[in-house]
Amino acid sequence: MTQVEIGRGKNGRRAYALDEIGIVPSRRTRDPEEVSIAWQIDAYRFELPVVVSPMDSVVSPKTAIEVGRLGGLAVLDLEGLWTRYEDPTPLLAEVAELKGEAATRRLQDIYDAPIKDELIGRRIEEIRAAGVTTAVRLSPQRTVQHHKAVIDAGVDIFVIRGTTVSAEHVSSRAEPLNLKQFIYELDVPVIVGGCATYTAALHLMRTGAAGVLVGFGGGASHTTRTVLGVVVPMATAISDVAAARRDYMDESGGRYVHVIADGGMGTSGDIAKAIACGADAVMVGSPLARAVEAPGHGFHWGSEAQHPELPRGKRVEFGTVGTLEQILHGPSSVADGSMNLMGALKRTMATAGYSDLKEFQRVEVVVAPHTS
């Protein structure tokens, strides 16, 4: 890819965000009702390529069950309020009432309570009892400490998610998580990330992960770019990681690792473009934070917002637009891409002439900077 001269001493690649590309229709169109948007990871099949982000403002045991009923997968954050408090609903209501910067300080206080292994088991059992696929998240820093409670409770899919996760973390203070050994010893599929480069993704795939998260998570609620200066536009990041998936298949003799775009997708058009760039599924939070059932009461925040030393996220107000079912399946009463996400995806694929997600990954795209 062409290098751009930033200055005499530094060059960089030109990278693209999702709103800078466009999908090109082909010579054939299809009936949207004949398009399949189902995907499968390991033994688990989902009718929707949607994984809901492990954020307390979006995923509770109740909403995880509802998303599963609607055909998607929701990931419960095991470092969130549901494993720190018997009943966090009063605290969630309080967070929705906080003003300005007071929200960050109060979030730090609330999340200072310890994580309880007995609550981990109870929340997992609650979701499993509803008969839907159960997925939970831990950060790499807490995985060793709490993973036994997760496995003992019978989780289906284990997500190890941080802002940036590598297969070669270096630390002189503590023994880093050996992802390859850890994943090998588990008896459940593991999704790990985020990452944003070809090389980082290839290393994560070599650990035995079933899926890799692309991006830094947080999306609309994170301030990683402002606080750390770290950013890789999503269209380029997804395409690079999809290339790593292809090369890893050759290297491993055919092992397929799923690529899940994580963050930066606020509309149905963003979701379609992420899959067009090579994602098998998307991990989204903000579109579903607008659901009337969402525990954040119209507000949205991620784990980055409550970091005790360096918060890299904030509480964002979105309001509500409809139910989870309306946001995912419609009908939509607005024209901004915030509702009927899956109906829009089907229509995009039908317009471009593709019948399933794997085919749609081959669709032509162009550089088309967004103009208002």
Side-chain angles (χ1 to χ4, degrees), residues 116-356:
K116 302 178 178 67
D117 280 353
E118 61 269 23
L119 287 178
I120 288 177
R122 192 183 308 170
R123 303 310 183 200
I124 293 172
E125 290 167 6
E126 186 177 342
I127 300 170
R128 279 178 56 85
V132 301
T133 303
T134 307
V136 297
R137 171 262 180 186
L138 286 171
S139 65
Q141 295 83 358
R142 296 185 187 267
T143 293
V144 172
Q145 180 181 357
H146 296 293
H147 79 277
K148 189 175 186 303
V150 175
I151 300 304
D152 288 348
V155 75
D156 296 313
I157 297 175
F158 195 176
V159 179
I160 302 175
R161 179 180 186 258
T163 302
T164 303
V165 177
S166 75
E168 298 182 13
H169 181 65
V170 178
S171 174
S172 59
R173 296 184 300 169
E175 183 67 25
L177 175 65
N178 184 325
L179 276 173
K180 188 170 186 178
Q181 179 181 346
F182 181 80
I183 291 173
Y184 177 79
E185 292 174 353
L186 290 180
D187 197 28
V188 299
V190 176
I191 297 171
V192 62
C195 68
T197 67
Y198 172 94
T199 302
L202 193 58
H203 280 270
L204 288 179
M205 291 172 185
R206 288 169 177 163
T207 66
V212 170
L213 299 171
V214 186
F216 302 116
S221 68
H222 82 67
T223 58
T224 301
R225 179 172 187 161
T226 302
V227 177
L228 300 183
V230 175
V231 60
V232 180
M234 282 295 284
T236 296
I238 296 166
S239 301
D240 283 350
V241 175
R245 175 186 60 203
R246 176 198 63 211
D247 292 347
Y248 178 69
M249 280 188 69
D250 292 339
E251 172 189 305
S252 63
R255 184 172 181 270
Y256 190 91
V257 178
H258 293 268
V259 172
I260 303 169
D262 180 10
M265 293 160 289
T267 66
S268 52
D270 292 335
I271 292 172
K273 287 187 280 188
I275 294 171
C277 287
D280 296 290
V282 297
M283 178 175 275
V284 294
S286 59
L288 299 178
R290 297 179 172 95
V292 295
E293 303 99 321
H297 302 279
F299 287 84
H300 185 45
W301 67 91
S303 59
E304 304 88 359
Q306 44 88 6
H307 193 282
E309 299 169 2
L310 189 65
R312 299 179 302 282
K314 57 186 178 180
R315 187 200 59 164
V316 180
E317 183 174 7
F318 283 123
T320 56
V321 297
T323 65
L324 283 169
E325 184 166 8
Q326 289 171 326
I327 291 171
L328 288 171
H329 294 297
S332 174
S333 57
V334 294
D336 60 3
S338 64
M339 298 182 72
N340 198 3
L341 303 179
M342 296 298 98
L345 175 59
K346 283 187 174 184
R347 189 164 295 274
T348 301
M349 292 169 61
T351 300
Y354 292 90
S355 61
D356 61 46

